[in-house]
Amino acid sequence: MAESARRRRKGSNETSPRVKDFGAFIERFELLPAPQPPPPAARHPLSDLTFAVADNFDVKNAVSGFGNPDWKRTHEPAGKSAAVISLLLQRGATLVGRTVMDELAFGVTGENLHYGMPINPQLLLQIPGGSSSGSGVAVAAGLVDFALGTDTIGCVRIPAAFCGILGYRPSHGVVSNIGVLTNSQSLCTVGLFARDPSIFHRVGHLLLQASQTVVKREKRFIFADDFFQYSRIPKQKTVHVICKAIEALSGYLPAKHMNVSHYIASNVPILKEFCEPYTKLHQGTATLQALSTIMLSLQKYEFKTNHEEWINTVKPSLGHEISARVRVALNSTYDNVKYLYKARAELRAALNSLLKDDGVLVIPTIPDFLSKHSSKRKMSPEFEDRLFILLCLAGLSGCCQVAIPLGKHESYPISLSFIAAHGADKFLLDTVLDMHSSLQEQISLASSLAPLPDFNGDMDASELLKEKGNAAFKGKQWNKAVNFYTEAIKLNDSNATYYCNRAAAYLELGCYQQAEADCNQAILLDKKNVKAYLRRGTAREMLVSYKEAAQDFKHALVLEPQNKAARDAEKRLRRLMS
């Protein structure tokens, strides 16, 4: 992939067919729309528009591959096209091909062992996101006017964010999925990609088969402040852009800010059954981590129910990442299934009560840019944890969500999401179109302003990383613990505990100078941190700096006169120095 990008930058004319279409398509073909009605009847609303579909949509007389050749080999051609394809053809659009997707719709990166990873037109060395990667790339590259994919746990929203385009996850069940292969029926929806907001709006309305009603003028925007802790994009280019756009429009109430995780904890009582493993985490993090776990557990349970027999019979060839996810799903036991569905219902009710028919919740679509976390175009476990926390609200509740591009930061696309109540899809699509011009003005202004200090924090995410570090430490995985604590410090460098904990791991590794340096920083941040004095004393003792070590242990005794470890160490050093 890197070599392909290098050749394109050099202007090579010897471009393969895969590079020409950015690797988005598995196959190209053309299905023409229904004939135009004779005048004076109006032209079809989607006339002259082209679209593509992911490899899990039935096309008449062809076999859907579900992203895997073994699936295609073991299934028969479809007797008719998926309902949404037939609808779009009837409305004048032309279908031009089938696009790459993660195998069995079970990935989030866009990688496919058999067809390769489509090339992100926004950033050649950035992943396109999955599972509907090819559809997102086809739209972002201008190869089609719009495209369809499926969204289970973010499979449309993730590619839309990474590729810098509009992505729409409808309310669960409002768009027909007849003739569409699903990974998990309780989570999967047919999703839409587009670049142009008017096309996005027009196609979205057709998919909903929405009637033309009076647009609701009053709109309430709610910023989920706790969710923005998982994003490191400056608020100057996210929250402030939306706020300024709202101020410039009529019919929009002043935006409000709230801690949504606290609201959910109070209004989704079943979560108490799932929060126990996260009791050491911050309350907000525990709530959101539990929601994410429920969503992923529901996906795995339904995937196993739907596809276990085929997988065990055919034993398909799967990419490493997908194979690992499939093994986990098939090997898991699900004793609490009824609680998964109850949590889904309670979360939907809570969000519908919060948003009603005029509310829009604003959250980041994805946490950050992948290249900051890995040079191998892979998602680290920490990145995935944060990603699924951001995606679980609409994914689990079935509410509708639109991912909206907001320009770029350091050459990477920025994406925020609007979430509306279940069934409020038309209201949401109308809001996105209504705000488009104002948003573009504010994006342009924000990009021309000098950067402002940003204090997003990310306390919840850093606490999650600290807990992972603690678990690794208890498991005597010292290097792994150091890595987790280091990531926590990157997100929040003002927490003395993170430095102190990393110092403990360094001591176990025999890295005494690094441990001393971390304790210095911890004490600078918290002069009453007894553990930091004890660990710095230990590091200095091992470095044969007995006098300084003794002073640290004495200081620890001043803070905690009954501390036995400090008292014993101080006596030991007194003997050594004598």
Side-chain angles (χ1 to χ4, degrees), residues 352-366:
N352 282 354
S353 177
L354 173 67
L355 299 173
K356 299 184 171 59
D357 64 350
D358 64 345
V360 176
L361 188 65
V362 185
I363 66 171
T365 308
I366 58 174

Side-chain angles (χ1 to χ4, degrees), residues 215-226:
V215 177
K216 179 179 283 291
R217 296 304 304 165
E218 190 172 89
K219 298 175 176 67
R220 295 182 297 117
F221 274 76
I222 302 169
F223 288 94
D225 287 344
D226 46 334

Side-chain angles (χ1 to χ4, degrees), residues 43-183:
R43 285 171 58 81
H44 288 314
L46 303 183
S47 293
D48 303 323
L49 297 183
T50 59
F51 73 104
V53 296
D55 194 29
N56 55 339
F57 286 74
D58 281 348
V59 177
K60 187 176 181 180
N61 299 326
V63 183
S64 300
F66 213 0
N68 183 272
D70 288 322
W71 182 281
K72 190 171 185 177
R73 174 177 58 81
T74 55
H75 288 80
E76 299 296 321
K80 57 183 179 180
S81 295
V84 287
I85 292 179
S86 298
L87 174 65
L88 295 170
L89 293 173
Q90 291 168 10
R91 297 297 189 271
T94 300
L95 177 60
V96 298
R98 200 189 287 275
T99 57
V100 175
M101 60 181 287
D102 288 73
E103 298 167 81
L104 312 180
F106 220 150
V108 291
T109 63
E111 180 66 270
N112 186 298
L113 172 68
H114 311 282
Y115 305 114
M117 180 184 284
I119 301 167
N120 187 336
Q122 289 280 344
L123 285 167
L124 301 180
L125 298 181
Q126 177 73 282
I127 67 166
S131 66
S132 302
S133 55
S135 290
V137 166
V139 169
L143 304 174
V144 291
D145 295 300
F146 65 94
L148 301 183
T150 52
D151 190 304
T152 306
I153 57 172
C155 310
V156 165
R157 292 165 286 166
I158 297 170
F162 274 113
C163 294
I165 56 176
L166 291 158
Y168 167 44
R169 176 195 163 94
S171 295
H172 186 266
V174 303
V175 176
S176 173
N177 64 355
I178 296 173
V180 181
L181 295 167
T182 58
N183 175 290

Side-chain angles (χ1 to χ4, degrees), residues 21-39:
D21 67 9
F22 290 84
F25 287 91
I26 290 177
E27 56 182 331
R28 301 291 295 260
F29 53 80
E30 192 172 78
L31 279 185
L32 297 175
Q36 292 290 341

Side-chain angles (χ1 to χ4, degrees), residues 120-123 126-127 159-165 233 366 368-369 404-416:
N120 187 336
Q122 289 280 344
L123 285 167
Q126 177 73 282
I127 67 166
F162 274 113
C163 294
I165 56 176
I233 310 300
I366 58 174
D368 208 340
F369 308 118
I404 303 171
L406 289 187
K408 292 187 176 184
H409 175 63
E410 297 178 356
S411 79
Y412 295 92
I414 302 170
S415 179
L416 286 193

Side-chain angles (χ1 to χ4, degrees), residues 50 58 77 151 231 236 260 272 275 301 367 371-372 388 406 488 520 575:
T50 59
D58 281 348
D151 190 304
S231 171
Q236 179 185 9
V260 174
K272 293 177 182 177
C275 284
Y301 167 72
S371 61
K372 289 187 176 180
F388 292 139
L406 289 187
N520 289 339
R575 288 195 301 269

